[in-house]
Amino acid sequence: MVRPRKKGIAAGKRVKFEANLGGLAQVTRGNLQSLGLHAQAHVREAVYSSKWKGGFRAAHSVARSIHFRVLPDGVLLYTTKPHVAFHDEGVRPHQMRYLLKAGRPIPLRPAPNVLIFRWATAASMARGKWRHPGIPAKQFVERGLATARVAVRNT
């Protein structure tokens, strides 16, 4: 029997809460809640400051997908959109050999309102076609967490 995946959690990054952060003598649920709220707000702010191909609508969609959950030993930051991890960490340029397994033509949009279909073949791969250009790492999670840690220390 296959266990269903928990709906809503696609990728997560655990944020450890250090007891000496901000001079706090004890880690309480309230401190963790405060860290989670700060982390969520600052990561969302870093998402908005990153460049997105889809403009504000794409940034807003990604920012709204970032949530947090308080755990006994820290805070879990997670997103409901699986592709966000690829934008955050980046993707190296690569040959898309996995397209050879496609059982149907691949739709391409070379221009707005234009849709064409192509097959990926071994011959086209050998000629250097079907290369993914890569995605530069935006690192909005790291930038957001760095500013959140400073904000929690100062409160």
Side-chain angles (χ1 to χ4, degrees):
M1 183 171 157
V2 178
R3 290 176 46 193
R5 193 177 72 131
K6 269 189 172 177
K7 187 174 181 177
I9 298 178
K13 181 170 270 195
R14 186 179 295 252
V15 180
K16 287 289 184 182
F17 188 82
E18 297 142 11
N20 61 4
L21 188 62
L24 299 171
Q26 183 180 6
V27 176
T28 64
R29 187 163 176 81
N31 294 344
L32 293 175
Q33 183 76 17
S34 173
L35 175 67
L37 286 171
H38 279 288
Q40 182 183 32
H42 287 281
V43 169
R44 284 181 174 180
E45 185 178 312
V47 166
Y48 284 120
S49 68
S50 299
K51 291 186 178 182
W52 292 90
K53 185 176 180 181
F56 177 77
R57 288 179 66 184
H60 185 67
S61 173
V62 170
R64 298 297 299 162
S65 76
I66 295 172
H67 306 284
F68 75 96
R69 179 179 295 153
V70 175
L71 301 175
D73 63 337
V75 175
L76 175 71
L77 253 155
Y78 66 94
T79 178
T80 55
K81 296 187 180 284
H83 70 278
V84 172
F86 295 110
H87 286 283
D88 185 40
E89 298 165 5
V91 176
R92 290 185 297 192
H94 61 278
Q95 187 80 33
M96 297 187 288
R97 292 184 300 271
Y98 45 85
L99 293 177
L100 291 172
K101 297 178 184 175
R104 57 185 178 175
I106 299 146
L108 302 171
R109 287 190 191 272
N113 300 325
V114 177
L115 182 64
I116 58 174
F117 295 90
R118 296 285 185 261
W119 286 94
T121 63
S124 65
M125 294 282 177
R127 288 193 307 267
K129 306 294 182 184
W130 300 103
R131 286 211 42 91
H132 191 288
I135 300 172
K138 292 180 174 65
Q139 298 178 337
F140 48 81
V141 173
E142 294 304 321
R143 289 186 289 125
L145 290 179
T147 56
R149 284 187 181 109
V150 170
V152 169
R153 276 192 203 113
N154 293 337
T155 56

